Amino acid sequence: MKHELAMEDASAAEALLISAEDFQKFREFFYRKTGISFEPTKRYFVDKRILERIEFTGCKSFRDYFAMMRFQASGAELQALTNAMTVNETYFLREEYQFQCLVSSILPEIVGLKKDASPIRIWCMPSSSGEEPYSIAMFLLEKWPEIAVRDVEIIASDIDTQILQKARKGLFSAHSVQHVPPAWLSKYFSRVGADYQICEELRQAVEFTRVNLTELADTRSYRNFDVIFCRNLLIYFDDASRREAAATFYDVLKPGGYICLGHSESMSRISSIYEVRKFPEAIVYRKTEEGGR
Ligand SMILES: C[S@@+](CC[C@H](N)C(=O)[O-])C[C@H]1O[C@@H](n2cnc3c(N)ncnc32)[C@H](O)[C@@H]1O
C-alpha cells in the first residue's frame, strides 16, 4: 500500500516536471504572443512561474496546463501567466536626462512647428507601475512653463494588467521614490505608512491602458502621438520583434514625432526609418517630417 502511494507521488511529481521539449514549446508560443524571447539560460525563472500557475489552476501536468491556457475562451490564464512572466523593474526619475531632454529640446521643437492648438500627445509604452509617466507629468509641471497654456495628454500602457492596477492606484515604496527631490516629494505625495501616495492631480493626468505592443489589434487605435517613451522593453525582444516594434511606432507617431529609448537600446541597429537626433541632453529618434518610409 505504502509502495503504491509512493509510486503515485513519484508519477505526479514527474508529470509536473517541465521537459526541454515543453520549455521549447512554451518559449515559441510565448514569443509569438508577446515578442519576449526567453533564452535557455532563463529556464529556472520560466519553469518556476509555470509551475506556480500549474499549482494555482489545479492542472495535473504541463501538457494539461498548456492546452487549457492556449484554448481557454476568456484568455484569463494567458493574461495571468503573462503577468507572472513580465519583469516590471522601474522607479521614479529613471534615466532622468531624457525627461530633461523632453522639456528642454523636444517639446520646444514640437511647439515651434505646431500649427494648431491640438494637445501634445505622449505615449509611455511600457509604463509598468507608472513611475515613468508620473515622472513625465511632474517634469512638465516643474520644468516646462508652457504647460500653463498647452494641453498635454499622457497615455501609459503595458501588457501586464496587474501592474496597471498598481499604477492607477499610485501607491509607491520608499525605494521607488528614492530619487525624487524632497520638495517634489512633499508637493506631489502623501505618506501612507511606509509608502507614498501620489496626489490626485497627477493620477488624473495619466491614463493607463492595457496594450500588447506586438498585437496589431491592440495598437491600431493608437495614432497621432508626438512623443513615445519606450524604455527597457526592447532589451527583452529579439531583432525581429524589435523591427516590428519600430514599424508599429512609426504608424503611431505623427510625422516629425520622437521616440526615446532606454540607454542600452538603439533604433539605428534595427531600423533605418528614423533619423537620429543628438540633443545636448540625450540621443533620440525621429520620424521624418514627410513620414515616408
Ligand atoms: C522593465 S519594465 C520598463 C518600465 C519603464 N519603461 C522603465 O523603463 O522603467 C518592462 C515592462 O514591459 C512590459 N511588457 C513586456 N512585454 C510587453 C509587450 N509585448 N507589450 C507591452 N508591454 C510589455 C512588462 O509588463 C513590464 O512592465
Side-chain angles (χ1 to χ4, degrees), residues 33-36 86-91 94-95 125-129 132 157-160 163 211-214 229-233 235-237:
K33 288 286 174 194
T34 66
I36 297 174
T86 50
V87 177
N88 305 119
E89 166 66 11
T90 187
Y91 49 86
R94 182 179 196 176
E95 295 169 44
M125 155 54 89
S127 64
S128 187
S129 38
E132 184 175 289
S157 308
D158 201 283
I159 197 173
D160 182 336
I163 208 71
V211 173
N212 177 354
L213 180 60
T214 60
F229 276 78
C230 180
R231 309 191 312 167
N232 304 303
L233 170 58
I235 41 170
Y236 300 103
F237 282 10

Side-chain angles (χ1 to χ4, degrees), residues 231-250:
R231 309 191 312 167
N232 304 303
L233 170 58
L234 299 182
I235 41 170
Y236 300 103
F237 282 10
D238 67 355
D239 270 357
S241 311
R242 286 180 196 141
R243 264 193 298 275
E244 267 176 41
T248 297
F249 287 143
Y250 197 87

